[in-house]
Amino acid sequence: MKKIEAIIRSEKLDAVKDALASQGLLGMTITNVSGRGRQKGIALQWRAGEYRVDFLPKVKIELVLHEDECQPAVEAICRVARTGREGDGMIFVLPVENAFRVRTSDSGEPCLTGK
Ligand SMILES: Nc1ncnc2c1ncn2[C@@H]1O[C@H](COP(=O)(O)OP(=O)(O)OP(=O)(O)O)[C@@H](O)[C@H]1O
Ligand SMILES: [Mg+2]
């Protein structure tokens, strides 16, 4: 099992969610986060001059999935979340040791697909 942590533009959430659902990927966790990448936020002009906004609001999507679903999901997120401008986001892929469904005590990969 793998975990995808995708940090994307908030306005892209609906499109990404739909793209993942069309691959049968339904379970996920969404968090509003603030972050910065290599540009360290953005510079804004205001009366007194320039100031920097260090952390910008983003959305983080976390989903745990089968290893062979991972690459198609990453590709779908990239395709749908990309504007081509700085700040489109980052995707991290992590190994997952185990998963447990609380209701049934299923564990492992059946947690991801079982009923
Ligand atoms: N190395 C990192 N570790 C953890 N989170 C990161 C890292 N880099 C970026 N992020 C997260 O991703 C968000 C978007 O980053 P962003 O797209 O600006 O990355 P970037 O590397 O600056 O790429 P770009 O040059 O396209 O802007 C950040 O707000 C932050 O939440
Ligand atoms: Mg950036």
Side-chain angles (χ1 to χ4, degrees):
M1 288 180 284
K2 297 283 188 187
K3 181 182 188 186
I4 293 177
E5 291 189 7
I7 300 156
I8 59 163
R9 296 182 189 279
S10 310
E11 65 268 26
K12 293 292 187 181
L13 175 60
D14 279 348
V16 168
K17 203 180 57 183
D18 291 348
L20 293 171
S22 77
Q23 297 188 5
L25 299 171
L26 301 174
M28 63 187 70
T29 302
I30 308 296
T31 315
N32 291 309
V33 296
S34 52
R36 68 182 188 192
R38 296 175 300 180
Q39 293 81 21
K40 287 179 64 180
I42 48 168
L44 296 176
Q45 298 293 328
W46 202 59
R47 276 186 231 157
E50 185 188 287
Y51 69 101
R52 296 200 67 80
V53 178
D54 206 6
F55 291 97
L56 296 171
K58 300 280 175 186
V59 165
K60 179 166 75 171
I61 303 170
E62 296 174 74
L63 68 155
V64 175
L65 68 191
H66 284 115
E67 208 149 338
D68 52 7
E69 293 169 330
C70 190
Q71 191 58 32
V74 168
E75 285 167 14
I77 295 168
C78 284
R79 187 178 65 248
V80 169
R82 179 178 294 137
T83 69
R85 287 177 283 116
E86 290 170 347
D88 276 350
M90 293 287 294
I91 300 173
F92 304 106
V93 177
L94 296 74
V96 169
E97 199 167 313
N98 210 343
F100 302 86
R101 173 168 292 105
V102 172
R103 177 173 59 87
T104 55
S105 296
D106 282 346
S107 64
E109 298 209 338
C111 274
L112 306 176
T113 50
K115 286 273 174 325

